[in-house]
Amino acid sequence: MNTQKEKKWTLDREISWEMALDAIKKIEGILVRSTYHIDDKEEIKRLDERALEIFKETDKFDMYDDEIVKAVNDTYWPLIRAYFEDPRSEKELVAAKYYERFLNTKVDYNAFKK
């Protein structure tokens, strides 16, 4: 039984991986931009810590780990879509603490270790 992941480049694999990286970068950006509209230093610290944690997620998977790439895309893209489709301004979204969704939603990378 072969337990190693297939290491073959495909266009679909490349697109999925690029989308996962893009999702991570978008969430990091949303969190950082949210800090521009917050005065509470503790709240800013929470957002900055999560943005750094998300930034470090790019080291936790490679394009050949289809399960993790899929989990990242399935977890983060619905949140990102909902954020950008919301008709409220960025300032209104921050006032409503919309960013909490990005703070509390995480991919469990340990679930994919074999």
Side-chain angles (χ1 to χ4, degrees), residues 2-8 64-67 112 114:
N2 187 1
T3 58
Q4 266 191 314
K5 302 226 183 276
E6 178 188 356
K7 298 273 186 181
K8 183 178 178 194
Y64 298 110
D65 199 333
D66 296 327
E67 293 169 339
F112 300 97
K114 298 196 183 215

Side-chain angles (χ1 to χ4, degrees), residues 79-95:
L79 293 174
I80 294 166
R81 254 184 244 110
Y83 177 84
F84 285 111
E85 289 174 353
D86 195 301
R88 295 176 286 182
S89 71
E90 185 177 88
K91 195 171 187 174
E92 290 171 318
L93 289 168
V94 171

Side-chain angles (χ1 to χ4, degrees), residues 23-36 51 54 83 90:
I24 290 169
K25 290 174 188 173
K26 281 192 183 331
I27 291 176
E28 178 189 1
I30 289 167
L31 291 172
V32 169
R33 288 190 52 81
S34 294
T35 64
Y36 301 160
I54 287 174
Y83 177 84
E90 185 177 88

Side-chain angles (χ1 to χ4, degrees), residues 6-113:
E6 178 188 356
K7 298 273 186 181
K8 183 178 178 194
W9 183 90
T10 65
L11 181 58
D12 288 341
R13 183 174 268 160
E14 176 76 22
I15 291 169
S16 293
W17 181 66
E18 291 290 342
M19 284 183 63
L21 289 177
D22 192 42
I24 290 169
K25 290 174 188 173
K26 281 192 183 331
I27 291 176
E28 178 189 1
I30 289 167
L31 291 172
V32 169
R33 288 190 52 81
S34 294
T35 64
Y36 301 160
H37 305 288
I38 298 173
D39 294 325
D40 182 358
K41 291 185 189 308
E42 287 300 313
E43 197 68 5
I44 291 171
K45 184 179 175 186
R46 282 181 64 219
L47 271 68
D48 284 342
E49 287 172 354
R50 178 66 178 134
L52 180 59
E53 183 181 321
I54 287 174
F55 172 75
K56 290 179 180 179
E57 284 186 17
T58 57
D59 294 335
K60 295 187 178 168
F61 66 95
D62 65 35
M63 72 181 296
Y64 298 110
D65 199 333
D66 296 327
E67 293 169 339
I68 290 179
V69 170
K70 182 177 180 349
V72 168
N73 284 327
D74 290 351
T75 302
Y76 293 147
W77 275 112
L79 293 174
I80 294 166
R81 254 184 244 110
Y83 177 84
F84 285 111
E85 289 174 353
D86 195 301
R88 295 176 286 182
S89 71
E90 185 177 88
K91 195 171 187 174
E92 290 171 318
L93 289 168
V94 171
K97 293 194 173 200
Y98 197 98
Y99 57 82
E100 286 290 338
R101 298 173 190 193
F102 301 110
L103 292 175
N104 298 322
T105 303
K106 299 179 181 184
V107 175
D108 182 9
Y109 292 98
N110 294 324
F112 300 97
K113 289 183 178 177

